[in-house]
Amino acid sequence: MDALNALIMLANFVLIPATAYGSQLALGALGITLIYGILRFSHFAHGDVMAIGTAVVILTTWGLQGAGVSFGVLPTALLALPVGIAFTILYLLAMDRVVYRFYRRVRAKPMVFVMASLGVMFVTNGLTRLLIGPGEQRFADGARFVISARDFRTWTGLSEGLALRSTQLLTVVVALIAMGILFYFLNRTRSGKSMRAYSDNEDLALLSGINPERVVMITWVIAGTLMCLAGTLYGLDKIFRPFTFFQLLLPMFAAAIVGGLGNPLGAIVGGYVIAFSELGVTYAWRRFAGYFLPPDWMPEGLMQILPVDYKFAVTFAILVLVLIFRPTGIFRGKVI
Amino acid sequence: MNPTLRAFLLFGLVGLALLFTGFNQSWTLALTILNMSLISAVLALGVNLQWGYAGLFNVGIMGFTAIGGLAVVLISADPVPEAWSAGGLGALMGLALGAATVMAAIAVWNRMQPSLARVLALIATLVVGYVITRSVFAPAREAIMAVNPATEGYLGGASLPVLLSWPVGALFAAGLAWVIGKISLGLRSDYLAIATLGISEIVIAGMKFEGWLSRGVNNVAGLPRAVPRPVELQGSGFVQSLSERSGIDIVEMASIVEKLGYAALFSVVLIMLIVLSELALNSPWGRMMRAIRDNEIAARAMGKDVKARHLMIFVLGSAICGLAGAMMVTLDGQLTPGTYEPLRFTFLMWVMVIVGGSGNNWGAVLGGMVIWFLWVQAEPLGRAVMELLTSGMAEDNALRIHLVTQAAHTRLILMGSALLFMLRFAPRGLIPEK
């Protein structure tokens, strides 16, 4: 019984939240890795474009709520998602047209692209704040829990409760669907194959008659969809704040690098690795240990390896380990 | 146009803009801008050293600035004897044990043959070291933070002259940069960017959380001044006579004299750094650095140790960032870990270097001054523009109120556009590299 209680507690505080957070990171990291694979630069505006896409979703949600539209038990934000995705894609395509295309033409060094993406980051950050302000916004509605901790306890008779928030379930389901479609697209369709070919060997792809501008456009469309999805899911599950989204840049990049830059499967694995380590290391294991250790063996403190304030340190430590021992990432990304 | 003449003209324009601010707004504001733009110029020099000379992309400027600022507290603040007796020894021992753990782990890794046993030994060393360190450190930390938490609750500093903290701040940043550079240089250039982004977030998290060291979000206020306070200056005969002769109020005059004092100090540092950077740039060493930047493979073929040179310049540039961070905290007279944010402390510096002209020290300095001026003045400007744009709407129009209250954020858009515009149409900056 103790073991079962401990397991439930672990699921409640670590496994479920980490799976949801990992899915959000994975969606973000997929975008980063795709942009890296095709356009060959680190897209620093990723977090901020996520933020502006989510801001549009939030504004649309408020509009829908104001008009009395709701989506039953599901959050209204899901209805607003298409608007946000369309906006994010158009925004990215506009930025590509105004900013990045020129540098592709002149075959600029990757660092120039990165620099340009810093400019885009600044502009996007300003636009987001102008649009919705720098503060926190909540926009989740619909049913709050799929299983609430109290219901779970009465059903099972266990002393530990297991809560599954609807946003967590939604995150995982949406992320899995999105990943499924993405992999089908990359492996089975003509456009997806041309994207992979272009990522593998640009010159060879050009010789085979693949239109690079079209590949780039598809990349932005996919990345924009993933970014808006990731941002909205994160905002629903946790909170929306422009600065928090900017800070997601580090775990998302870490996920992409840990998995192997340019490798979509790696980005997903990387996302979960980062999320599980972050939550595992900052979780207070004291009560968990209480189920196994005899009382007089119990240590004094919370048994928390690192305080939550240092969650970036966890991401960073994993990143450093990967950089030292396996710079190509777990799944052998493109190049080092 | 002759590049020298062009540089003079551009610097003249910055001077005019400051004078204009002085006459139209206030001299205190103009001097405040001047002081921060001098610090920004120092920072831009540091970033330019890394980017312009070596093509290293550092996205962790905020972290190096912050750790330099921490040096001011550790050097110049008054020590807290109760805190030292409560847990000073424990904290120091904890730090030493932590360092010993890391060294032991490195020794294990280097001494043993590659095998599963090596991995297990490494993990065992780290776990045992962590548990021991924590058992010594955690109680000491709590004890220190419990000492008079409303005003102290930290170890304090060494009560040494505040100017000494500037080189120490540079040393702190250099040490941090050495560790980061050792790990991530020699890999893809993007990896350095991500690693520095990470370390800067951790430095800030550490300064916010480690109250025993920096009082965290409670801030350390009342740090010793490098220049006498305005209140003290009001009593001096010199300031009083200046005030009488110029007809400026004594309170304002004292504040102006204080700010001029800081401006003089900062100018001395800036000029020294420019001279050193220029000498370095035109020396054989500078030529080698540019050769490495322009063609790493060729430089390596000529027998240059690219990674070691990159590490060296990364440490030097970060040290300058640390120095600027210490200057900034000295100017403010307080350390406020909560106010460090990456847009302002990292990415704005990049706008400065790109707009000013990467690879050219004068360009970086100019960029620092121009962009800082714009950054400060864009806020009222943005509000004025928004008010003008929305003047057709009703006074209580929700959109109008929203746009006017959020107008401050237009400066981010302005900065981003400036960066994008320069990158596209004048990638070599306002004062291009020769």
Side-chain angles (χ1 to χ4, degrees), chain A residues 27-28 30-32 34-35 39 41-54 56 83-102 104 113 116-117 119-121 123-124 127 213 216-230, chain B residues 420:
Chain A
L27 289 179
L30 270 174
I32 287 181
L34 282 178
I35 296 173
L39 291 136
F41 74 94
S42 306
H43 186 228
F44 269 83
H46 213 77
D48 284 297
V49 176
M50 259 168 71
I52 200 166
T54 312
V56 170
V83 181
I85 291 178
F87 174 85
T88 316
I89 292 172
L90 288 178
Y91 186 82
L92 284 171
L93 287 177
M95 283 299 159
D96 185 66
R97 180 84 176 68
V98 179
V99 180
Y100 302 119
R101 199 174 69 167
F102 169 78
R104 270 203 305 285
F113 281 91
S117 79
V120 173
M121 185 194 90
V123 173
T124 314
L127 285 176
E213 286 304 307
V216 166
M217 196 189 82
I218 297 173
T219 310
W220 285 123
V221 169
I222 297 175
T225 312
L226 292 170
M227 282 153 98
C228 190
L229 274 179
Chain B
L420 289 172

Side-chain angles (χ1 to χ4, degrees), chain B residues 279-298:
Chain B
L279 285 176
L281 187 64
N282 297 321
S283 68
W285 181 82
R287 282 198 293 278
M288 174 189 67
M289 290 315 304
R290 277 173 292 160
I292 293 178
R293 178 195 65 187
D294 294 336
N295 193 336
E296 248 177 61
I297 297 163

Side-chain angles (χ1 to χ4, degrees), chain A residues 36 42 98 102-103 114 116 118-119 122 129-131 246-247 253 304-305 307 309-310 316 323 325 327 336, chain B residues 57 109 130 134 188-191 194-195 201-202 206 209-210 342-343 347 402 406 409 416 419-420 423-424:
Chain A
Y36 187 85
S42 306
V98 179
F102 169 78
Y103 300 108
V114 175
L118 282 191
F122 249 106
R129 289 170 188 223
L130 202 60
L131 196 65
F246 165 81
Q247 284 189 315
F253 260 108
Q304 190 181 21
I305 302 174
D309 309 63
Y310 286 129
F316 185 74
L323 288 187
F325 296 117
I336 59 157
Chain B
F57 188 38
W109 188 260
Y130 173 81
R134 175 116 187 203
R188 283 190 51 84
S189 44
D190 310 45
Y191 287 4
I194 304 298
E201 292 288 349
I202 293 173
F209 187 73
E210 300 302 326
L343 276 178
F347 296 107
H402 175 83
Q406 307 291 356
H409 306 306
L419 175 64
L420 289 172
L423 203 59
R424 168 85 181 255

Side-chain angles (χ1 to χ4, degrees), chain B residues 384-399:
Chain B
V385 168
M386 280 299 173
E387 270 168 8
L388 192 73
L389 280 180
T390 56
S391 55
M393 300 180 191
E395 214 33 60
D396 56 346
N397 186 316
L399 182 66

Side-chain angles (χ1 to χ4, degrees), chain A residues 2-335:
Chain A
D2 273 358
L4 195 59
N5 267 323
L7 192 69
I8 296 295
M9 191 168 78
L10 193 64
N12 190 28
F13 290 107
V14 178
L15 301 181
I16 294 178
T19 312
Y21 179 44
S23 310
Q24 292 146 8
L25 284 184
L27 289 179
L30 270 174
I32 287 181
T33 236
L34 282 178
I35 296 173
Y36 187 85
I38 305 292
L39 291 136
R40 298 185 162 77
F41 74 94
S42 306
H43 186 228
F44 269 83
H46 213 77
D48 284 297
V49 176
M50 259 168 71
I52 200 166
T54 312
V56 170
V57 170
I58 293 174
L59 292 175
T60 318
T61 309
W62 288 343
L64 288 171
Q65 286 168 345
V69 180
S70 92
F71 202 11
V73 290
L74 292 171
T76 319
L78 282 188
L79 292 176
L81 250 182
V83 181
I85 291 178
F87 174 85
T88 316
I89 292 172
L90 288 178
Y91 186 82
L92 284 171
L93 287 177
M95 283 299 159
D96 185 66
R97 180 84 176 68
V98 179
V99 180
Y100 302 119
R101 199 174 69 167
F102 169 78
Y103 300 108
R104 270 203 305 285
R105 288 239 175 102
V106 300
R107 294 192 164 257
K109 285 184 188 167
M111 267 303 135
V112 179
F113 281 91
V114 175
M115 220 43 99
S117 79
L118 282 191
V120 173
M121 185 194 90
F122 249 106
V123 173
T124 314
N125 197 301
L127 285 176
T128 311
R129 289 170 188 223
L130 202 60
L131 196 65
I132 203 165
E136 291 182 0
Q137 313 289 347
R138 291 180 186 279
F139 58 107
D141 54 3
R144 206 165 136 60
F145 288 104
V146 179
I147 308 169
S148 80
R150 196 193 302 152
D151 289 347
F152 184 86
R153 272 196 290 263
T154 44
W155 289 337
T156 57
L158 289 171
S159 60
E160 288 295 336
L162 178 82
L164 178 62
R165 287 209 310 269
S166 46
T167 51
Q168 291 169 330
L169 184 65
L170 189 73
T171 298
V172 177
V173 171
V174 172
L176 286 179
I177 295 174
M179 290 170 195
I181 297 176
L182 179 68
F183 278 93
Y184 176 81
F185 174 81
L186 286 177
N187 291 322
R188 296 267 184 267
T189 64
R190 212 181 150 72
S191 306
K193 283 180 190 165
S194 65
M195 258 177 82
R196 287 194 300 143
Y198 186 84
S199 162
D200 264 355
N201 189 331
E202 195 179 332
D203 296 328
L204 206 57
L206 291 177
L207 278 176
S208 336
I210 289 172
N211 176 1
E213 286 304 307
R214 190 164 167 275
V215 170
V216 166
M217 196 189 82
I218 297 173
T219 310
W220 285 123
V221 169
I222 297 175
T225 312
L226 292 170
M227 282 153 98
C228 190
L229 274 179
T232 307
L233 292 173
Y234 187 89
L236 277 175
D237 189 30
K238 299 200 168 72
I239 195 140
F240 172 80
R241 200 162 68 104
F243 185 62
T244 315
F245 274 50
F246 165 81
Q247 284 189 315
L248 278 179
L249 202 60
L250 180 65
M252 286 189 308
F253 260 108
I257 292 178
V258 167
L261 262 176
N263 185 324
L265 189 64
I268 295 174
V269 174
Y272 290 109
V273 168
I274 299 284
F276 274 87
S277 347
E278 197 173 284
L279 267 81
V281 170
T282 54
Y283 177 62
W285 292 89
R286 183 181 169 79
R287 269 181 64 211
F288 181 79
Y291 281 110
F292 298 102
L293 291 180
D296 40 321
W297 280 35
M298 280 297 283
E300 280 287 311
L302 289 166
M303 296 186 66
Q304 190 181 21
I305 302 174
L306 274 180
V308 186
D309 309 63
Y310 286 129
K311 61 181 184 190
F312 289 118
V314 182
T315 310
F316 185 74
I318 298 173
L319 190 68
V320 165
L321 288 179
V322 168
L323 288 187
I324 294 176
F325 296 117
R326 202 178 165 95
T328 47
I330 303 172
F331 285 94
R332 291 251 172 256
K334 288 192 75 63
V335 270

